Amino acid sequence: AQSVAQPEDQVNVAEGNPLTVKCTYSVSGNPYLFWYVQYPNRGLQFLLKYITGDNLVKGSYGFEAEFNKSQTSFHLKKPSALVSDSALYFCAVSHLEVTFGTGTKLQVIP
Amino acid sequence: DTGVSQDPRHKITKRGQNVTFRCDPISEHNRLYWYRQTLGQGPEFLTYFQNEAQLEKSRLLSDRFSAERPKGSFSTLEIQRTEQGDSAMYLCASSLRGSLAGELFFGEGSRLTVL
């Protein structure tokens, strides 16, 4: 069985500071990993994916994620947070089907 | 084409009534998925179609839930004899055949409230 864990229900960061949203995964075989963002009363939007290759993956809106096989992690990062980044972020893993984490609420404080 | 469209966006119904949600995927996408999302949780997979074929339906929550995609275009999700526990956001997503299972394009969801 595959699973994803997002250990933080909420992350608070000051505008302009770097942000990290954590994700760890468990899957047999090579993982395909994803991050999605959800704004209030909206559907999920794809941010970025890791398939293979470079461990640092760049995505939409200046976000990037670092794949670490030994730690089975796929943390989402951004060098400088914006207030507009405040939203709910979901990590997901897919092998034969897609499994989402429980989400982390990111609050960027002006 | 502007994306995945879901209708209605919000449905309020009384317990015991039947409800139906419609999803129109991105036109060139032949895979279509239904998910359920409750407060504080991530999306939970329900079922998916490739064209008109329903390839996975074992995750539908009970036999009160059914989904169709008769012509391989739009899909409907029906919940019969609704219960208060069915209150949730129902999300539809689509993707291209051959794309990774995780590269999904989601609609804005249909929120169900069962009184």
Side-chain angles (χ1 to χ4, degrees):
Chain A
Q2 59 190 35
S3 65
V4 169
Q6 294 183 243
E8 302 153 318
D9 290 336
Q10 182 159 338
V11 170
N12 297 321
V13 63
E15 186 177 24
N17 282 3
L19 69 87
T20 298
V21 181
K22 295 180 180 178
C23 171
T24 58
Y25 67 90
S26 173
V27 65
S28 57
N30 293 323
Y32 298 146
L33 296 160
F34 306 83
W35 276 101
Y36 283 81
V37 60
Q38 186 176 33
Y39 297 100
N41 299 313
R42 303 294 297 273
L44 280 74
Q45 297 178 34
F46 172 81
L47 271 182
L48 51 79
K49 66 183 178 186
Y50 172 82
I51 304 172
T52 186
D54 195 347
N55 289 343
L56 187 64
V57 177
K58 294 189 183 298
S60 306
Y61 311 122
F63 283 92
E64 56 191 26
E66 186 171 12
F67 172 69
N68 187 316
K69 188 173 183 178
S70 63
Q71 297 185 2
T72 61
S73 68
F74 189 56
H75 300 333
L76 181 70
K77 300 182 178 186
K78 188 173 182 181
S80 179
L82 300 173
V83 172
S84 57
D85 293 330
S86 298
L88 195 54
Y89 290 82
F90 291 94
C91 183
V93 61
S94 84
H95 191 52
L96 298 177
E97 62 183 57
V98 184
T99 301
F100 287 86
T102 52
T104 298
K105 182 179 179 181
L106 174 66
Q107 189 73 42
V108 181
I109 302 162
Chain B
D1 188 77
T2 56
V4 178
S5 175
Q6 292 189 245
D7 183 71
R9 292 290 312 279
H10 196 173
K11 177 71 175 180
I12 301 172
T13 191
K14 293 182 179 179
R15 188 179 56 177
Q17 298 295 304
N18 299 344
V19 296
T20 300
F21 300 113
R22 175 179 170 127
C23 172
D24 288 88
I26 294 172
S27 57
E28 61 268 28
H29 286 185
N30 56 1
R31 288 183 178 170
L32 187 148
Y33 304 78
W34 285 100
Y35 284 82
R36 184 179 79 155
Q37 185 178 20
T38 54
L39 195 63
Q41 298 297 318
E44 176 187 10
F45 172 78
L46 296 178
T47 187
Y48 96 95
F49 295 84
Q50 182 159 297
N51 300 315
E52 65 274 13
Q54 191 173 12
L55 299 186
E56 174 58 65
K57 57 181 180 180
S58 65
R59 304 295 182 90
L60 286 168
L61 301 165
S62 77
D63 58 7
R64 297 184 297 104
F65 287 71
S66 64
E68 293 184 341
R69 194 183 184 197
K71 297 182 179 179
S73 56
F74 73 91
S75 175
T76 57
L77 176 70
E78 182 182 17
I79 308 173
Q80 296 183 327
R81 306 181 302 280
T82 53
E83 301 173 357
Q84 288 185 328
D86 297 332
S87 296
M89 177 76 86
Y90 291 86
L91 298 170
C92 177
S94 69
S95 70
L96 275 168
R97 180 179 183 179
S99 63
L100 294 175
E103 280 191 85
L104 302 172
F105 292 80
F106 281 87
E108 297 194 334
S110 292
R111 182 171 296 282
L112 173 64
T113 302
V114 182
L115 302 175

